[in-house]
Amino acid sequence: MEIPGISKRLRLTRRNALRLITAGVAGSLLDAGWFEPGHLSITRQTVVSKKMPPALDGLRIGLLADFHFRPQQDAGLVNKVVDQVRRENLDLIVLAGDFMSGDPGVVAPLLEKLGKMRATHGIFAVMGNHDGWAGQRSVIKRQFEKIGISFLINQN
């Protein structure tokens, strides 16, 4: 059945639906594999809580997570992140894990870069699930603490 004003090329057929799905999957893979890994995004959020003591009013916290660091591919982006964090003049920095995807050997070169960050009240890190799968907690913790980053394991 033909609908007046709609060309045969635009009709939803199995073939056109498959083309549309294929284009969507290809676009998602391209974004996840090419654009996103090199993209630095910053989200600023003001948190208001009546339970916070007045002394914490204006506290600036930076949260960084999911590095999945690969030295050959990600060094430039991490350098940009560190430079931006330094410009933000933060009071506290939180590193929320997933520093690696599988190779614990990438922690040392990542920490060479992250060690350049400063925050008035310190830098605190926790393990992500990938870190726990790939490395030994005590070894990772020692590497962070060696450069002055507090590494919390079941602590607060």
Side-chain angles (χ1 to χ4, degrees):
M1 175 178 147
E2 290 206 25
I3 301 173
I6 296 181
S7 77
K8 289 183 179 183
R9 286 182 42 199
L10 296 178
R11 284 192 329 201
L12 188 59
T13 63
R14 276 184 274 187
R15 181 172 288 166
N16 285 343
L18 185 57
R19 287 178 181 149
L20 185 62
I21 291 168
T22 302
V25 169
S28 295
L29 291 174
L30 183 64
D31 179 61
W34 181 70
F35 178 72
E36 275 299 318
H39 180 69
L40 171 61
S41 68
I42 300 170
T43 303
R44 290 181 177 85
Q45 182 70 44
T46 300
V47 177
V48 178
S49 172
K50 293 178 183 176
K51 295 180 181 182
M52 296 252 293
L56 294 180
D57 189 36
L59 184 74
R60 294 176 44 88
I61 302 171
L63 172 66
L64 292 81
D66 293 298
F67 289 92
H68 297 280
F69 187 64
R70 302 163 301 171
Q72 290 76 22
Q73 294 96 333
D74 302 328
L77 177 61
V78 173
N79 287 335
K80 285 198 285 188
V81 168
V82 168
D83 290 344
Q84 182 63 43
V85 166
R86 291 174 62 99
R87 283 193 295 275
E88 294 290 324
N89 196 27
L90 299 169
D91 297 307
L92 184 70
I93 298 173
V94 179
L95 304 173
D98 282 350
F99 304 103
M100 66 187 102
S101 287
D103 177 11
V106 305
V107 173
L110 175 61
L111 289 177
E112 285 178 29
K113 297 175 182 315
L114 298 182
K116 297 174 184 172
M117 297 187 302
R118 299 289 177 260
T120 308
H121 299 296
I123 303 173
F124 296 84
V126 297
M127 289 184 78
N129 58 326
H130 287 266
D131 306 320
W133 296 335
Q136 293 179 320
R137 289 183 208 187
S138 59
V139 172
I140 294 169
K141 180 176 179 162
R142 267 194 308 276
Q143 287 177 292
F144 276 80
E145 290 180 342
K146 183 177 178 182
I147 65 163
I149 296 176
S150 298
F151 200 90
L152 307 176
I153 299 177
N154 297 323
Q155 298 168 273
N156 58 35

